[in-house]
Amino acid sequence: MTSPHTSPPPTKPTTVSDKDHSTTMDQILQEITTVSRRIEGMDASITSLTLETKSMRSDIAGFQSRVTGLEQHMGSLEAQANVSQERDQDLLYLRSKLTDMEDKSRRDNIRLLGIPENEEGTDVQAFLSSTLPKLTSLDFDPPLEFQRAHRIGPKRSDNSSRPDHSSHACAA
């Protein structure tokens, strides 16, 4: 038996021959070359990805600028639409006022029916100034003045009592 304090039997030292050593070195160099090529490929990929990322960032900045421009343009269009709606409301109001004014101005109009065609000659206002006092047996002092005078035209062919407005003649 061996005692616990005894040393193990001597082992045979391992030696690497020069041939084994050169084979191992060649393998290591090949592996280093392969790893180095892989790293170079990765560096090229990283460089390419970096360039693509910069290009994408530039594209995104361009898109953001376009979106900002479109948002501003949309705001301008909305403001113009609001102004247009206000103008439409103003236009409707003014049309109703104009219709009201036209209706009120017609209250002072006089329509004479039954005057034969071409009785007035070329001056309708002079004809009315001389004829109305005779027809009404009134003395107008000062003489009547007319802003406008129009010949409306003959009666309609359907024998209605209203004149035909489609073929009216105007004499001033």
Side-chain angles (χ1 to χ4, degrees):
M1 286 211 84
T2 55
S3 73
H5 295 293
T6 58
S7 56
T11 58
K12 184 176 175 185
T14 54
T15 59
V16 176
S17 69
D18 285 337
K19 184 178 179 184
D20 288 339
H21 182 68
S22 69
T23 303
T24 307
M25 286 302 281
D26 287 339
Q27 289 173 343
I28 290 172
L29 284 175
Q30 279 181 336
E31 287 182 30
I32 289 173
T33 303
T34 302
V35 168
S36 175
R37 285 183 184 147
R38 286 184 183 166
I39 289 173
E40 286 173 4
M42 287 180 189
D43 282 345
S45 295
I46 289 171
T47 302
S48 174
L49 288 173
T50 302
L51 290 174
E52 286 181 33
T53 302
K54 286 180 182 179
S55 174
M56 287 178 176
R57 284 182 179 160
S58 174
D59 290 346
I60 288 171
F63 289 137
Q64 287 174 336
S65 174
R66 288 181 191 160
V67 166
T68 301
L70 289 173
E71 286 173 344
Q72 290 172 349
H73 186 65
M74 181 64 83
S76 172
L77 289 175
E78 287 173 350
Q80 289 175 359
N82 289 338
V83 167
S84 179
Q85 286 175 347
E86 289 173 7
R87 286 183 181 161
D88 287 347
Q89 290 172 350
D90 290 346
L91 181 61
L92 288 173
Y93 172 75
L94 291 174
R95 280 185 181 167
S96 70
K97 293 292 281 184
L98 178 62
T99 301
D100 185 52
M101 289 174 65
E102 285 177 344
D103 291 343
K104 287 179 180 175
S105 72
R106 288 191 179 112
R107 291 179 187 164
D108 296 330
N109 290 348
I110 298 173
R111 178 180 272 181
L112 302 174
L113 301 175
I115 298 174
E117 286 290 320
N118 298 321
E119 181 86 14
E120 75 281 354
T122 58
D123 190 356
V124 178
Q125 289 182 357
F127 170 76
L128 290 175
S129 293
S130 65
T131 305
L132 279 179
K134 293 175 194 172
L135 292 174
T136 60
S137 300
L138 297 175
D139 187 24
F140 295 100
D141 191 29
L144 291 176
E145 288 185 28
F146 298 96
Q147 290 177 350
R148 282 185 248 151
H150 302 276
R151 161 72 75 180
I152 295 178
K155 287 186 180 180
R156 288 193 247 174
S157 60
D158 64 359
N159 296 328
S160 70
S161 63
R162 294 182 56 189
D164 183 8
H165 293 284
S166 63
S167 63
H168 72 281
C170 175

